[in-house]
Amino acid sequence: WGHNEGTRFDMTKPFDAEEGAKGFQLSNPPILQAVSLLASLEIFNSVGMEAIRNKSLLITGYLEMLLANRLGEGAFKVLTPTDPEQRGAQLSLFLKGNV
């Protein structure tokens, strides 16, 4: 993993690293990660993406409301679009002062 593809099987030293992101490629995913991915995909499939998206809109909006109520509107700035249809399920924040 990470070895130069051209010399990978020469079994020579020192380690000949592949440059850039290409060195982080995997031909086979680790089995434990693949099993957890399968479990999440099964949940997505059983519930449906529309229900998952609706919940993401609710909990992202809820977080935004909690921040405004607990910290006050002036304590932070939401950098992501205010329209939930344009921001996905995350809030990027700029915290002001000693928050």
Side-chain angles (χ1 to χ4, degrees), residues 24-80:
F24 293 95
Q25 291 179 338
L26 292 175
S27 60
N28 297 318
I31 191 66
L32 292 177
Q33 292 176 1
V35 169
S36 65
L37 177 61
L38 177 61
S40 67
L41 291 174
E42 288 171 348
I43 292 169
F44 288 178
N45 193 36
S46 69
V47 173
M49 287 307 295
E50 185 176 349
I52 292 170
R53 177 62 179 146
N54 288 337
K55 184 162 186 176
S56 80
L57 290 170
L58 286 172
I59 60 177
T60 305
Y62 182 59
L63 173 62
E64 190 173 21
M65 185 217 42
L66 285 176
L67 289 167
N69 289 342
R70 302 272 173 116
L71 301 178
E73 294 284 345
F76 67 96
K77 178 181 178 184
V78 179
L79 303 174
T80 46

Side-chain angles (χ1 to χ4, degrees), residues 2-6 8 15-20 22-24:
H3 204 284
N4 184 326
E5 194 172 327
R8 183 171 297 162
F15 177 75
D16 183 17
E18 186 75 65
E19 289 190 29
K22 190 174 180 183
F24 293 95

